[in-house]
């Protein structure tokens, strides 16, 4: 795959996601996930899943990553890489897709999914979430 933007290519972003995965806190599922988000200004934010003894409080790697970026003033994203040690590339969950949709009005965010042995898949957000929930102030 070619360059995505500003000299960060797919392989670099995946590498960042795999590095971030090492910090995953997943003592309950033992399923470690890492993510890396490329912002339109060229900056990259990373994250991992953070589980909790009260299971429902667990936050996926993708959401941790988006929230890190947004809390640092970024809201425009070009691509998200997400990786796990799975035979097939890992697919973001529906909740994370909805959170990503919030910051991708055209649903064109590039998603790069990675698994074991360099297995790769990529698509745009609208392919995984054809219809996101939208709330327009004063219009419902
Ligand atoms: N998980 C993620 O971090 N991202 C995904 O896309 C799927 C699931 C995490 C949540 C939980 O810590 C573990 O994987 C098992 O569900």
């Amino acid at each position: 795959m070619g360059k995505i933007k500003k000299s960060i290519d797919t392989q670099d972003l995946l590498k960042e996601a795999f590095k971030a995965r090492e910090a995953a806190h997943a003592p309950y599922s033992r399923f470690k996930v890492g993510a890396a988000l490329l912002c339109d200004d060229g900056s990259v934010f990373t994250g991992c899943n953070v589980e909790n003894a009260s299971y429902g409080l667990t936050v996926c790697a993708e959401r941790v990553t988006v929230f890190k970026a947004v809390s640092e003033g970024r809201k425009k994203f070009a691509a998200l890489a997400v990786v796990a040690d799975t035979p097939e590339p890992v697919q973001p969950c529906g909740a994370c897709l909805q959170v990503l949709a919030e910051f991708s009005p055209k649903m064109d965010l590039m998603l790069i999914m990675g698994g074991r042995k360099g297995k790769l898949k990529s698509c745009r957000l609208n392919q995984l979430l054809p219809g996101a929930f939208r709330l327009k102030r004063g219009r419902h």
Side-chain angles (χ1 to χ4, degrees), residues 26 29 31 33 49-51 58-62 82 90-93 96:
S29 72
F31 190 78
V33 186
N49 53 332
V50 182
E51 297 187 348
T58 291
V59 185
C60 293
E62 297 91 319
V82 54
V90 65
Q91 186 128 334
C93 80
C96 289

Side-chain angles (χ1 to χ4, degrees), residues 1 4 9-10 13-14 79-83 90 110-114 120-123:
M1 263 181 256
I4 298 168
D9 67 14
T10 298
L13 205 59
L14 282 162
L80 174 86
V82 54
V83 302
V90 65
M110 177 68 76
L111 300 173
I112 302 150
M113 296 150 278
L120 269 192
K121 216 162 90 176
S122 70
C123 67

Side-chain angles (χ1 to χ4, degrees), residues 7-91:
S7 85
I8 293 205
D9 67 14
T10 298
Q11 288 306 327
D12 289 336
L13 205 59
L14 282 162
K15 209 191 272 181
E16 291 290 324
F18 274 112
K19 204 164 22 157
R21 182 177 171 272
E22 290 169 21
H25 178 70
Y28 306 105
S29 72
R30 305 228 172 258
F31 190 78
K32 294 184 167 195
V33 186
L37 185 63
L38 175 64
C39 305
D40 73 338
D41 65 355
S43 57
V44 173
F45 288 80
T46 62
C48 59
N49 53 332
V50 182
E51 297 187 348
N52 191 273
S54 177
Y55 294 177
L57 302 182
T58 291
V59 185
C60 293
E62 297 91 319
R63 270 176 289 156
V64 168
T65 306
V66 170
F67 295 159
K68 279 176 71 176
V70 173
S71 65
E72 297 286 335
R74 276 40 164 229
K75 287 188 185 181
K76 289 188 178 156
F77 310 128
L80 174 86
V82 54
V83 302
D85 186 23
T86 44
E88 293 304 316
V90 65
Q91 186 128 334

